[in-house]
Amino acid sequence: MSDEENRDRKHESNDIQIEKSPGEAYLIFIEMSNLLNKLKLLDYEDEYLIRWKMKALSRHYFAIQTNPGEQFHSFITLAAWLIQQSGHNFDKPQEFDDPNTVVSGILNQLRKFGNDVNFGTNKVKTGSGEQVIYTLNRLADEALKNKGFIWKDPEYTNETDEQDDEPDGDEPDEAELDLNKIEENMLRV
């Protein structure tokens, strides 16, 4: 192949690159926040943290890799708890369990729920990252379904109803002090 053909191929491959949004880097933090909200709805403070003797998760816990061993352990135990909350049997992982077997079991359960798993076990064995948060979010969704939780659209109050409760500008507000009444009371004394 000539140098000119190589340059043409490089130029063609550069044209195919997809531009990403600058905000896409923060999407993982939003997903982690969504996960924490779902866990709070599942009462994970009492049911998971206290009963399973685990430490509370920060809002960036699975988004940023800090301690892979600790994060992996938190991931597999939380995933096991979420699978149990969704009404399926899944044993709490033990210290000497094979990590590959545990992760495979979690991902298989995720597939049984009908979710796409287009990543390997190595992606979640780090204990943090997009795939870990995706897995936990989908498991939390299943647990919420099992508990009968249904997401509803917010109900907005009508602005005219709120305005009826407010006093009109012509009527004196009872909370306001009337200077004339104060002066009359002072003269009586």
Side-chain angles (χ1 to χ4, degrees):
M1 220 183 257
S2 70
D3 289 335
E4 188 174 307
E5 288 175 358
N6 282 335
R7 273 185 267 132
D8 287 341
R9 284 193 174 183
K10 282 183 182 179
H11 183 68
E12 287 174 8
S13 66
N14 288 341
D15 292 342
I16 298 173
Q17 290 179 358
I18 299 171
E19 289 188 35
K20 293 183 179 183
S21 168
E24 192 171 337
Y26 298 99
L27 186 60
I28 194 168
F29 298 104
I30 294 169
E31 290 299 317
M32 183 64 203
S33 177
N34 290 340
L35 172 63
L36 287 176
N37 289 333
K38 292 173 189 176
L39 292 174
K40 288 177 184 174
L41 290 171
L42 290 166
D43 195 26
Y44 100 111
E45 290 97 350
D46 294 331
E47 298 292 323
Y48 172 71
L49 296 179
I50 294 173
R51 288 190 182 171
W52 287 35
K53 297 178 177 127
M54 299 297 292
K55 72 175 200 170
L57 304 175
S58 71
R59 60 189 182 128
H60 303 298
Y61 189 77
F62 292 115
I64 301 171
Q65 186 174 13
T66 53
N67 183 345
E70 177 186 308
Q71 287 175 302
F72 178 72
H73 182 261
S74 295
F75 163 67
I76 60 175
T77 54
L78 182 57
W81 180 76
L82 289 169
I83 292 169
Q84 290 177 2
Q85 295 298 304
S86 64
H88 294 82
N89 290 331
F90 198 90
D91 294 332
K92 180 181 177 183
Q94 300 299 317
E95 184 178 351
F96 298 108
D97 289 346
D98 179 30
N100 292 321
T101 306
V102 174
V103 169
S104 293
I106 292 168
L107 296 181
N108 286 336
Q109 193 65 45
L110 195 60
R111 286 184 191 98
K112 286 180 186 176
F113 290 143
N115 293 291
D116 290 334
V117 180
N118 55 2
F119 49 87
T121 58
N122 288 339
K123 291 287 187 178
V124 293
K125 281 174 49 178
T126 60
S128 63
E130 182 181 342
Q131 290 80 11
V132 168
I133 296 172
Y134 169 82
T135 302
L136 292 172
N137 260 318
R138 299 299 78 77
L139 293 174
D141 290 339
E142 290 299 323
L144 286 169
K145 283 181 196 174
N146 186 52
K147 299 286 183 186
F149 184 84
I150 299 171
W151 294 100
K152 295 181 181 177
D153 291 333
E155 295 179 13
Y156 298 103
T157 58
N158 192 351
E159 289 184 20
T160 57
D161 293 342
E162 290 179 13
Q163 291 175 353
D164 291 341
D165 295 340
E166 295 176 10
D168 292 337
D170 299 336
E171 298 176 17
D173 187 7
E174 294 176 16
E176 289 183 22
L177 294 176
D178 187 6
L179 188 56
N180 292 331
K181 287 183 182 179
I182 293 174
E183 288 176 354
E184 288 176 17
N185 289 339
M186 289 176 71
L187 292 175
R188 288 186 196 157
V189 178

